[in-house]
Amino acid sequence: MLDLRMAALDALCLSDPAAKVAAVAELAVGDRPVDVVRELAEPAGVPGRPQRPQLVRPGEVAQRSVATQEGRTALLHALAHIEFNAINLALDITWRFAGLPDEFYRDWIRVAIEEAGHFSLLRARLAELGARYGDFPAHDGLWEMAAKTSTDLVARLALVPRTLEARGLDASPAVRAKFASAGDAKSAHIVDIILLDEIGHVATGNRWFRFVCARLEVDQTQAQTTAAARYAAPVLRGPFNLHARRAAGFSDEELQALSTTFRSGPP
C-alpha cells in the first residue's frame, strides 16, 4: 500500500475528473501509513486536469442571468470548477509539505474526500441540466495562488483556506439566494451542503495556520499581512458571513478587524 502522501500525489496527477474522484475515495480505504519526513519531488503535470474547461482570466468569464437555465448552468459550472480545484489543493498540501504531524496529512485527505463529494454533486446536477464539466470557460485563481505559495506553508495556509476559501463562505448566501429566487431548489440545497462542509475546511486551515505559526514563533497577524502583500492576495470585500467565519475558527478580534479594515461590496 502506497504511503498516504505519495498516493495523494498520484491522485493529484490524474487528469480525468472521474478517475481523480475515484482515486480520492481510495485514499480513505484502509489505514495507510504516512511518511511525514520524506521530501517528495514534484513531477511534471501538476495538477492533472482535463483539457476543458478553457482557462481564461477572471474578467473574461461571462456573467449570465440566473433567471435562465443557461445562467444557472453556468453558475453551477463555476462552482464545480472551484470544487475540482479544491480537490487538487487538498491533495497538493498533503504531498508537498513534509515534517508536519500525522494528523495534518489525514486532515487534508478528509478535506479532499469532501471536496470530491461536492464536485460529484455538482457534476450530477449539471448532467440533469444537459451540461458537463468543461462546457464553459473558467478561471484559475485558486490554483494560481497555490502555485505562488508552493514553497511557503505559512502563506499557503494564510491565503488559500483563510483567504480564498473563506471568501466562499461569504459568497454562499448570495449564491444560494440566486438559485432559490429562480425556483431551483435542488441547486440551492447543494450550496447548503457545500457551505456546511466548507466551514470545516476553513477551520482546518485556521487550526494548522496557528500551529505552524506557533512552531515557527511568528505572529499570526503579521504572518497573514506579510503573506497577503508578498503574494498579491485579492483585496477582501464584504458583506462577510461572520456567523460562518466564526464557526470556522476566526477569532472575534479577526472578525472585528475584517469588518473595520475592508470595505463593503459584493464578496
Side-chain angles (χ1 to χ4, degrees):
M1 180 180 288
L2 277 179
D3 155 69
L4 188 65
R5 293 177 60 224
M6 192 68 231
L9 179 55
D10 284 355
L12 178 64
C13 291
L14 294 172
S15 58
D16 178 70
K20 191 185 293 283
V21 167
V24 168
E26 284 295 314
L27 295 175
V29 176
D31 187 18
R32 289 179 183 269
V34 184
D35 186 342
V36 304
V37 177
R38 183 181 176 190
E39 296 282 352
L40 299 174
E42 182 170 351
V46 171
R49 50 189 166 190
Q51 292 184 345
R52 299 177 64 199
Q54 176 191 4
L55 298 179
V56 298
R57 290 179 293 186
E60 296 174 352
V61 178
Q63 301 296 312
R64 298 172 173 86
S65 169
V66 295
T68 66
Q69 179 169 311
E70 183 185 23
R72 293 193 297 278
T73 303
L75 180 54
L76 284 164
H77 187 277
L79 296 176
H81 183 64
I82 290 170
E83 297 301 326
F84 186 76
N85 265 324
I87 300 170
N88 287 335
L89 289 168
L91 295 172
D92 189 75
I93 200 171
T94 302
W95 82 263
R96 186 175 294 277
F97 298 100
L100 282 300
D102 182 282
E103 184 185 358
F104 174 88
Y105 305 104
R106 298 195 187 278
D107 274 355
W108 290 109
I109 290 301
R110 282 193 289 271
V111 171
I113 291 167
E114 291 182 354
E115 303 289 19
H118 300 165
F119 177 74
S120 296
L121 284 172
L122 290 161
R123 186 172 55 172
R125 183 65 181 136
L126 284 170
E128 290 175 350
L129 297 175
R132 296 178 299 175
Y133 177 58
D135 283 354
F136 296 85
H139 71 80
D140 207 28
L142 268 174
W143 185 260
E144 287 173 359
M145 185 58 74
K148 288 179 183 179
T149 59
S150 62
T151 61
D152 188 339
L153 178 57
V154 171
R156 170 69 67 90
L157 292 165
L159 301 183
V160 176
R162 281 175 49 86
T163 299
L164 297 182
E165 292 183 325
R167 291 176 78 190
L169 304 183
D170 300 329
S172 286
V175 172
R176 188 202 187 284
K178 287 181 179 181
F179 286 126
S181 67
D184 189 346
K186 276 191 172 182
S187 298
H189 181 58
I190 291 172
V191 175
D192 288 337
I193 293 170
I194 292 173
L195 175 59
L196 286 175
D197 287 343
E198 292 299 336
I199 289 171
H201 301 172
V202 176
T204 297
N206 269 323
R207 182 167 64 254
W208 288 110
F209 173 75
R210 289 172 182 142
F211 174 89
V212 174
C213 285
R215 173 186 274 190
L216 297 176
E217 299 182 344
V218 298
D219 179 78
Q220 295 171 25
T221 302
Q222 186 59 50
Q224 183 78 36
T225 302
T226 299
R230 179 175 297 160
Y231 299 103
V235 176
L236 299 181
R237 292 179 174 84
F240 300 108
N241 190 340
L242 299 181
H243 174 75
R245 282 177 173 265
R246 184 173 289 108
F250 286 95
S251 68
D252 289 341
E253 292 77 12
E254 287 175 315
L255 295 178
Q256 180 62 34
L258 193 69
S259 299
T260 57
T261 304
F262 296 105
R263 57 186 180 273
S264 296

